[in-house]
């Protein structure tokens, strides 16, 4: 495809990447393998569309995490700045809209807030807020949260919303048994709580956006705004996201979707990889391209990964290849138990660090969260710096308190925020007083209590004024100082220093939004804090990363450890008990994702015995290990006895 006068930005692309960049009109399906340069392809495609004479603001690009959206946004900005033809004699003064689906939803709902009778500063319930509201709804209905887990109701409601079903629609259908009848009651109370607080939950950000786009006039406005649409990680879309993309692309049909069926691992949260399988049926004139050249991993890693995923049937055929070196064999450690396994991981990681490897280039991946505890203990004993990915910075108690002061000031009906801060720091406000305030009886207060509440309300008003007149970082500083939080944590000699460090870090984060117009910056800042994901925490500290495989999606490291490779653990017991073909294949995709995170070397481990739920369990190796050719395996502590029959399944023993 090379021509003599080919632009320089095309010369850095391989042939399929270049085809994807040049195919700007009509529907385009890009099946991009792990490490195949999909972000580079999308960003260069955006540059090419602009160089064809299209306005940057006519381009929409959607991905799934703030981290990947931020990276894509930065790379697009850099490409536009560096293109001399675009920036001389005048520079580009507008940019494409690059965001996550949820951020897109926030923007569209704010632009049409009157459609839903919402204020511009509507609240956003995170998972903790939703769980608390559902628990409160259950208690109001006399349903015991101890015997009926709130998370189960939350998950069910979330799946319904992700499938495009509103409460009204669910409530009008015939319930299937007692559970659905109970869900309908809890859901009604939950929706009432959201409405009272003028708030939406994460699923509403998508569902409400879909409802907006089902209005013909609103749909036409957005179709005319965004004529070129890019959707990354298309295999991870749920029904609502799929419908949103289809509606937006309905007029111009210039939709480019990028994805990899082999990396579809989120069915439990409603993702449907069949969306990418049906793309060519949805768009009859679609062009399909394969990106199979991997720029990340060694040949050994890719050969093993290809072998693992080839056993899946529900996929589109593709075979990753690389021009990188062969690289090391896959290391396999056979541990006596979980402590032995954890010690091996910590010991080997420590050795890598002593050899000059940066701790942040080492990741330990596991199938289930409970596996992290013993690994953490081993890291502590070995004095190995580590970071546990999964505890979100913005969900820490002290951080939520600062944010609730700002959110409560901007949205006085956000009861969950006001409840969080009314007595933090302690103001001597009792439960009876709080009940009166939140049930509309504040006017009945008298004396000293009334003065305390008036002083608190006055503080919130000052914060509101600051939010409308100064930069976000100054707002955060004002809250920390004038709320009393700073003094409170200074007085706490045990946890105080770390909590102070965290709320001061919030100021640093807020400075990133100081460049926006006054008022807009605080909105963007609060949106970022509400929609952050586990991956946004990855670069915060220098240390070996400990995380689930699900959390590792989209990341890459030089050295990867994968523990717990036992039948029933990984693949999980759910798929081992011959559940569905789809469950079984998703477990295999999960292992494929874990393998393809590595650039240089993979260490695998399994335990011959593991304690689960207080019982000692004798294990057999995961079927995934058996799928790896012997020529690719390096045993860390000697090969197992060839005469041992590992095919008998799991044996449960109680000690």
């Amino acid at each position: 495809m090379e021509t003599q006068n080919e632009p320089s930005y095309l010369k850095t692309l391989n042939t399929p990447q270049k085809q994807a960049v040049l195919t700007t009109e009509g529907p385009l399906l890009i099946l991009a393998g792990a490490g195949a340069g999909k972000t580079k392809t999308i960003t260069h495609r955006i540059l090419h569309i602009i160089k064809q004479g299209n306005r940057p603001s006519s381009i929409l690009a959607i991905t799934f995490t703030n981290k990947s959206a931020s990276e894509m946004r930065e790379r697009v900005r850099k490409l536009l700045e560096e293109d001399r033809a675009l920036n001389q004699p005048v520079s580009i003064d507008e940019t494409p809209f690059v965001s996550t689906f949820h951020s897109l939803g926030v923007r569209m709902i704010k632009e049409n807030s009157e459609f839903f009778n919402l204020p511009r500063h509507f609240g956003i319930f995170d998972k903790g807020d939703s769980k608390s509201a559902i628990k409160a709804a259950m208690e109001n209905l006399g349903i015991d949260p101890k015997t009926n887990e709130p998370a189960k109701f939350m998950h069910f409601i979330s799946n319904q919303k992700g499938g495009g079903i509103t409460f009204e629609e669910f409530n009008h259908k015939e319930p299937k048994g007692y559970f659905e009848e109970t869900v309908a009651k809890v859901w009604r109370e939950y929706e009432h709580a959201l409405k009272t607080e003028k708030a939406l939950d994460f699923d509403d950000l998508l569902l409400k956006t879909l409802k907006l786009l089902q209005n013909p006039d609103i749909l036409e406005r957005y179709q005319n705004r965004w004529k070129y649409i890019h959707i990354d990680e298309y295999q991870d879309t749920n029904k609502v996201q799929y419908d949103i993309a289809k509606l937006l692309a309905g007029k111009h049909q210039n939709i480019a979707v990028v994805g990899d069926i082999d990396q579809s691992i989120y069915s439990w949260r409603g993702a449907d990889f069949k969306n990418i399988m049906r793309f060519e049926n949805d768009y009859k004139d679609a062009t399909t391209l394969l990106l199979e050249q991997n720029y990340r991993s060694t040949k050994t890693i890719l050969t093993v990964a290809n072998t693992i995923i080839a056993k899946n049937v529900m996929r589109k055929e593709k075979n990753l290849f690389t021009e990188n070196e062969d690289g090391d064999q896959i290391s396999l450690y056979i541990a006596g138990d979980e402590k032995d396994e954890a010690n091996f991981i910590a010991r080997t990681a420590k050795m890598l660090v002593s050899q000059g490897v940066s701790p942040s280039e080492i990741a330990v991946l596991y199938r289930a969260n409970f596996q992290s505890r013993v690994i953490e203990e081993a890291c502590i004993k070995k004095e190995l710096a580590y970071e546990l990915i999964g505890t979100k910075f913005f969900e820490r108690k002290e951080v939520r308190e600062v944010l609730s002061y700002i959110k409560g000031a901007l949205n006085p009906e956000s009861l969950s925020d006001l409840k969080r801060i009314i007595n933090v720091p302690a103001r001597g406000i009792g439960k009876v007083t709080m009940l009166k305030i939140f049930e509309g009886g504040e006017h009945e207060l008298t004396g000293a209590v009334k003065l305390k509440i008036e002083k608190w309300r006055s503080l919130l008003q000052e914060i509101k004024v600051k939010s409308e007149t100064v930069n976000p970082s100054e707002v955060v500083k004002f809250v920390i100082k004038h709320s009393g939080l700073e003094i409170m944590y200074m007085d706490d000699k045990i946890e105080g220093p770390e909590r102070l460090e965290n709320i001061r870090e919030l100021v640093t984060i807020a400075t990133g939004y100081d460049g926006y117009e006054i008022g807009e910056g605080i909105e963007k800042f609060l949106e970022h804090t509400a929609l952050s994901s586990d991956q946004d925490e990855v670069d915060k500290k220098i240390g070996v990363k400990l995380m689930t495989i699900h959390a590792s999606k989209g990341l890459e490291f030089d050295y990867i450890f994968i523990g717990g490779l036992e039948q029933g653990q990984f693949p999980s017991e759910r798929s081992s008990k011959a559940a569905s073909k789809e469950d079984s294949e998703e477990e295999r995709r999960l292992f494929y994702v874990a393998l393809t995170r590595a650039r240089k070397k993979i260490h695998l481990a399994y335990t011959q015995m593991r304690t689960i739920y207080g019982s000692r369990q004798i294990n057999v190796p995961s079927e995934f290990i058996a799928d790896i050719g012997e020529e690719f395996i390096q045993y860390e502590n000697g090969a197992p006895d060839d005469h041992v029959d590992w095919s008998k399944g799991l044996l449960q023993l109680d000690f």
Side-chain angles (χ1 to χ4, degrees), residues 16 32 82 171 290 365 379 457 474 485 488 570 605 637:
E82 290 176 350
N171 197 42
L290 292 178
L365 310 182
C379 289
R457 291 287 188 193
E474 294 301 318
L485 289 173
M488 182 179 78
F570 192 20
N637 50 356

Side-chain angles (χ1 to χ4, degrees), residues 65-110:
T65 67
N66 289 326
K67 184 180 175 67
S68 56
S70 178
E71 179 190 353
M72 189 179 294
R73 199 179 297 118
E74 179 59 25
R75 288 169 72 167
V76 168
R77 184 194 63 77
K78 193 173 179 183
L79 282 173
L80 294 177
E81 283 183 356
E82 290 176 350
D83 193 288
R84 296 178 64 81
L86 286 176
N87 285 283
Q88 290 183 349
V90 293
S91 63
I92 292 289
D93 60 356
E94 60 179 68
T95 58
F97 188 67
V98 182
S99 82
T100 63
F101 267 107
H102 288 90
S103 293
L104 174 70
V106 170
R107 172 169 175 161
M108 292 172 67
I109 293 166
K110 280 186 174 180

Side-chain angles (χ1 to χ4, degrees), residues 472-507:
S473 62
E474 294 301 318
V475 177
V476 177
K477 286 179 186 176
F478 181 86
V479 170
I480 292 170
K481 186 179 178 70
H482 293 273
S483 66
L485 289 173
E486 186 173 46
I487 293 173
M488 182 179 78
Y489 287 127
M490 280 180 175
D491 290 341
D492 180 355
K493 304 303 180 188
I494 300 172
E495 295 183 342
E498 184 180 350
R499 294 190 188 279
L500 266 177
E501 186 180 312
N502 285 333
I503 60 177
R504 286 167 179 165
E505 174 65 15
L506 198 57
V507 177

Side-chain angles (χ1 to χ4, degrees), residues 237-284:
T237 53
N238 63 19
K239 186 179 187 305
V240 170
Q241 291 161 334
Y242 167 82
D243 288 341
I244 289 171
K246 200 170 181 184
L247 283 168
L248 286 173
K251 182 174 183 179
H252 300 287
Q253 299 281 298
N254 296 325
I255 179 170
V257 304
V258 188
D260 183 5
I261 297 157
D262 296 336
Q263 295 186 74
S264 177
I265 58 173
Y266 295 118
S267 66
W268 49 275
R269 68 181 189 195
D272 186 357
F273 71 90
K274 294 187 184 72
N275 289 343
I276 199 168
M277 299 280 278
R278 64 169 68 99
F279 185 85
E280 291 158 307
N281 288 327
D282 290 340
Y283 303 93
K284 299 298 183 186

Side-chain angles (χ1 to χ4, degrees), residues 117-134:
N117 193 28
L118 284 168
R120 183 168 179 82
H121 294 291
F122 62 84
I124 299 175
F125 272 25
D126 61 23
K127 287 181 181 177
D129 294 327
S130 292
K131 193 172 181 178
S132 296
I134 285 174

